[in-house]
Amino acid sequence: MFQLIGERAYHYFLLFQCFVVDGVDGIDPNPGRHKMLSTLIGGAGAWIPYPSHSILTYMGPQTWMIMLDCRAERTLNRVCSEATYRRMFDRLWELPASVKHIVVQLGIPIAYPRMNFLETALESSFNPFVALGKKNKMGMGTLVNKFNMDAELLDDLMDHWTAKNHKKERNWFVEQLQSFALLKKVRITFLSGDVHCAAVGVFKTLSSSIPVNPVVDHRYMLNVVTSAIVNTPPPAGVQTMVASLSDKTHKTMHYAQTDEAMIPIFQQDTDGKPPKSKNIMGRRNYTIVEYDSQTQELFFDIRVEKTKGIGTTVGYWIRAPAPGWNV
């Protein structure tokens, strides 16, 4: 039943969002063979009879965007297959030398506060709330799903790049992008959503003393997190928990000389008052991206709703510098 639902959902995703019909347009993975030249055919779907469909698109002479399909091949232990990553990098290496920026669009943030402790707690058979939910006691029945009786929130947590089952793949992917950025001399920036908050994470070169200038740091990769303007923020308790975790220092990639942090971009709230968190903004938002031809930077303007339903926004901006290192 779920495979049928997934097959139909993916079919209409291709039809209405990608304007593709595999039976008509084909699924040849070789560059230039698909009728939609921006389409990048990846590996076979895990549970659906379709390969993954990523998109590599032109955003201007100096900027391209790769929208990586992180759904078709996803399992509990994998986000994308080796075939998809290989074909993606093959296409990226073919981009002209004039390209300064590549935006990697991922549905879920790749640099974001961890909630591994909550993941572990929800997986535990000793968690009293999950146990009550499985027995539908004390009104806790809604805490678990009706199919395998796992905690309802657990599925969302295991979906994240930072979940323990995906951490190894995530770190490998970041390292591969770092190597590509260094040799191709391009700035990589991630653009993500899904979490219904606004935030900016960053990967950068690990330094015990003076920080490396971002302009000459090939590891400097922003992760701009923005959600569709129609998506309301998560409950206040979830926002508080995520905000409290956003200051935590992560040493996950120190072995690769890579540090990871959240950038305190929100120095004040939309009303000018001190914010609840300088790292996470739990309001509806969207982002405008512009290329500065003078500095060759990408300018990200996160527009945050000032008052719910009014339509007025306040801007919080950050720049992704042009690549300034020597190859």
Side-chain angles (χ1 to χ4, degrees):
M1 176 61 72
F2 279 109
Q3 284 182 298
L4 177 61
I5 293 173
E7 185 272 330
R8 287 290 82 194
Y10 200 81
H11 169 81
Y12 286 110
F13 156 72
L14 293 178
L15 179 62
F16 292 114
Q17 293 195 35
C18 300
F19 308 109
V20 165
V21 178
D22 281 358
V24 176
D25 302 312
I27 54 173
D28 191 332
N30 294 307
R33 300 299 298 274
H34 198 278
K35 290 185 178 180
M36 298 287 283
L37 296 179
S38 60
T39 299
L40 193 159
I41 300 297
W47 312 110
I48 55 176
Y50 295 97
S52 69
H53 291 65
S54 300
I55 296 175
L56 178 61
T57 188
Y58 173 89
M59 295 181 68
Q62 286 78 30
T63 308
W64 284 67
M65 174 183 281
I66 175 72
M67 291 172 273
L68 189 62
D69 184 347
C70 297
R71 289 297 171 192
E73 303 173 283
R74 180 180 288 269
T75 67
L76 285 176
N77 299 306
R78 183 187 72 187
V79 178
C80 295
S81 69
E82 185 272 337
T84 293
Y85 286 124
R86 184 182 69 253
R87 292 168 189 171
M88 182 197 79
F89 279 109
D90 285 347
R91 292 282 292 274
L92 292 180
W93 277 110
E94 293 174 356
L95 293 178
S98 61
V99 175
K100 302 295 183 184
H101 293 270
I102 294 177
V103 178
V104 181
Q105 182 175 313
L106 304 172
I108 298 173
I110 197 167
Y112 197 69
R114 313 284 201 278
M115 286 180 279
N116 300 81
F117 75 95
L118 185 57
E119 183 183 344
T120 301
L122 292 176
E123 285 183 314
S124 173
S125 58
F126 299 103
N127 188 305
F129 299 106
V130 174
L132 290 170
K134 290 180 177 179
K135 296 180 179 180
N136 198 21
K137 301 292 186 179
M138 298 178 64
M140 297 290 183
T142 57
L143 291 179
V144 298
N145 64 55
K146 301 299 186 290
F147 305 104
N148 62 359
M149 304 306 286
D150 277 346
E152 191 67 46
L153 185 59
L154 182 60
D155 183 62
D156 287 334
L157 294 176
M158 294 177 69
D159 210 23
H160 281 229
W161 283 95
T162 51
K164 59 185 180 183
N165 286 359
H166 299 311
K167 186 181 295 183
K168 184 177 180 180
E169 180 180 352
R170 165 194 181 265
N171 294 352
W172 174 87
F173 185 36
V174 171
E175 286 185 79
Q176 296 303 305
L177 287 169
Q178 289 175 346
S179 298
F180 171 79
L182 175 64
L183 297 175
K184 187 72 172 176
K185 197 176 181 181
V186 295
R187 177 69 63 194
I188 301 292
T189 303
F190 298 102
L191 183 62
S192 309
D194 189 74
V195 293
H196 300 190
C197 290
V200 179
V202 64
F203 295 106
K204 56 187 177 179
T205 293
L206 179 65
S207 176
S208 58
S209 54
I210 301 174
V212 178
N213 184 343
V215 173
V216 298
D217 185 2
H218 70 280
R219 296 187 181 92
Y220 188 86
M221 302 177 183
L222 297 174
N223 185 182
V224 179
V225 181
T226 183
S227 295
I229 190 63
V230 297
N231 290 340
T232 55
V238 175
Q239 292 183 46
T240 300
M241 179 179 64
V242 174
S244 66
L245 295 170
S246 65
D247 289 320
K248 181 177 173 58
T249 300
H250 296 290
K251 301 179 180 180
T252 306
M253 296 195 68
H254 281 193
Y255 72 91
Q257 293 301 304
T258 303
D259 207 358
E260 178 186 349
M262 302 301 295
I263 296 179
I265 189 175
F266 306 108
Q267 294 298 311
Q268 59 183 24
D269 209 332
T270 54
D271 58 3
K273 297 179 180 178
K276 294 180 180 179
S277 170
K278 294 181 179 180
N279 300 328
I280 306 290
M281 179 65 76
R283 296 180 184 272
R284 300 199 306 176
N285 65 90
Y286 66 95
T287 295
I288 299 171
V289 187
E290 296 182 358
Y291 177 74
D292 188 330
S293 59
Q294 300 296 318
T295 64
Q296 297 186 329
E297 297 173 313
L298 278 188
F299 178 86
F300 292 86
D301 184 10
I302 304 175
R303 307 301 304 185
V304 180
E305 187 177 43
K306 188 172 183 179
T307 304
K308 185 177 180 179
I310 300 301
T312 305
T313 60
V314 176
Y316 300 86
W317 58 269
I318 193 164
R319 294 175 179 268
W325 55 89
N326 295 319
V327 178

